[in-house]
Amino acid sequence: MGKVLVFDHPLIQHKVTLMRKTETTNKDFRELAQEVVTLMGYEATRNLPLMDVEIETPMCKTTQKVLAGEDIAIVPILRAGLGFVDGMLALYPNAKVGHIGLYRDPETHEPVEYYCKLPKDIEKREIFVVDPMLATGGSAIDAIASIKKYGGKNIKFMCLIAAPEGIEALQNAHPDVDIYIAAKDEKLNENKYILPGLGDAGDRLFGTK
Ligand code: PRP
Ligand code: URA
């Protein structure tokens, strides 16, 4: 079973609380999303493999460490996942970025896929699927299934806020995927929104409501 890691560093908790507040503006929400995801990306990559390299400092020759691992792909689930891309690219400027377009049907709450474009060499990359919200888990489950169809193997899912129902569903559907979250919330309401949550992440990022 994949690991579920709650990144509850005080800075992350503080910024997520600001994001939850109704009065937080779209501009501040966007900036906070970038800051939180950079902090989460830092934690999420704590165990990336290193290798030795010989270098020369102005003082002498020395053996030091550089990253040895696979290259990284960041895959936001459109559209709210877009709010996480710049924060991850701040850490990994050479990462490739794929996109998966999904929206939840407002009646059925089931995800509907409308777009998928991934890096050609996705099978060789360490993949971070990013989306602020894991509610029922339907969107994350379908997005990861699409990535696997194109050969993606080494997949991690990163979100801000997760409901227990979504975590369980994602773990059951993709037990090989580690889940990184900033906050685990209480439950879903009757419209499958997370409580206490932060509302509609896409609308709050892009000001569409
Ligand atoms: C939101 C969110 C996730 C999804 C989570 O997107 O960004 O993708 O809902 O819900 P689930 O776990 O129940 O699938 P939404 O469908 O509102 O689309 P949007 O990003 O285009 O606003
Ligand atoms: N999508 C959101 O944007 N927010 C929720 O609480 C659930 C799904």
Side-chain angles (χ1 to χ4, degrees), residues 104 133 135 192-194 199-201:
R104 288 199 321 181
M133 310 305 274
K192 310 292 181 198
Y193 272 75
I194 300 174
D200 188 300

Side-chain angles (χ1 to χ4, degrees), residues 70-74 94-97 119-127 152-155:
E70 305 96 298
D71 291 327
I72 285 178
I74 303 160
N94 295 321
K96 294 209 170 157
V97 182
K120 264 209 201 86
D121 56 354
I122 192 76
E123 73 286 351
K124 295 193 209 127
R125 290 182 174 264
E126 168 146 15
I127 303 163
K153 288 187 265 291
N154 185 358
I155 304 172

Side-chain angles (χ1 to χ4, degrees), residues 1-3 144 148 169-179:
M1 190 65 80
K3 290 191 288 274
I144 291 168
K148 286 182 174 174
L170 180 54
Q171 279 194 303
N172 288 335
H174 297 291
D176 54 312
V177 171
D178 290 343
I179 305 172

Side-chain angles (χ1 to χ4, degrees), residues 87-172:
M88 285 296 278
L89 284 175
L91 282 177
Y92 302 103
N94 295 321
K96 294 209 170 157
V97 182
H99 294 87
I100 295 195
L102 287 174
Y103 69 90
R104 288 199 321 181
D105 182 288
E107 300 296 322
T108 65
H109 312 300
E110 292 292 324
V112 181
E113 184 172 317
Y114 58 87
Y115 188 76
C116 182
K117 182 89 181 168
L118 300 172
K120 264 209 201 86
D121 56 354
I122 192 76
E123 73 286 351
K124 295 193 209 127
R125 290 182 174 264
E126 168 146 15
I127 303 163
F128 288 90
V129 179
V130 295
D131 189 328
M133 310 305 274
L134 180 66
T136 64
S139 304
I141 290 168
D142 281 15
I144 291 168
S146 290
I147 294 169
K148 286 182 174 174
K149 233 175 20 201
Y150 285 94
K153 288 187 265 291
N154 185 358
I155 304 172
K156 294 168 178 56
F157 179 78
M158 193 186 295
C159 69
L160 274 188
I161 298 184
E165 296 90 328
I167 295 173
E168 193 185 337
L170 180 54
Q171 279 194 303
N172 288 335

